Amino acid sequence: MTTLEFNKLSSFILHNYGIKLPVAKKTMLEGRLQKRLRALSLGSFKEYCEYVFSEEVQQKELVHM
């Protein structure tokens, strides 16, 4: 996960769940989201970000994230 991807996802999580994720939690976030990447057959966090931030998917993914 790149710094840009982490920042984007952590901002999304803060906005939707109220959970702050400092950079020190990057490894934890990567580990937790690996299951979602596998479940969605995505090969990278870049693909996951593209998936999550597409308008038609975003609300559905909130439940799983």
Side-chain angles (χ1 to χ4, degrees), residues 28-62:
M28 180 204 69
L29 183 62
E30 288 173 334
R32 300 252 172 109
L33 291 179
Q34 282 294 343
K35 289 180 185 178
R36 288 303 299 152
L37 268 71
R38 284 191 298 274
L40 297 167
S41 299
L42 299 173
S44 69
F45 287 105
K46 179 182 179 193
E47 290 177 34
Y48 182 71
C49 284
E50 290 169 358
Y51 174 77
V52 168
F53 295 109
S54 63
E55 288 185 34
E56 66 273 1
V57 171
Q58 197 171 78
Q59 291 301 315
K60 289 187 265 182
E61 188 61 18
L62 282 172

Side-chain angles (χ1 to χ4, degrees), residues 1-3 5-13 17 19 21-37 45 48-49 65:
M1 178 182 302
T2 67
T3 301
E5 292 161 352
F6 174 77
N7 290 338
K8 200 169 183 180
L9 288 167
S10 64
S11 293
F12 180 78
I13 291 168
Y17 301 103
I19 300 169
L21 294 174
V23 176
K25 299 291 185 178
K26 181 179 174 189
T27 302
M28 180 204 69
L29 183 62
E30 288 173 334
R32 300 252 172 109
L33 291 179
Q34 282 294 343
K35 289 180 185 178
R36 288 303 299 152
L37 268 71
F45 287 105
Y48 182 71
C49 284
M65 185 183 277

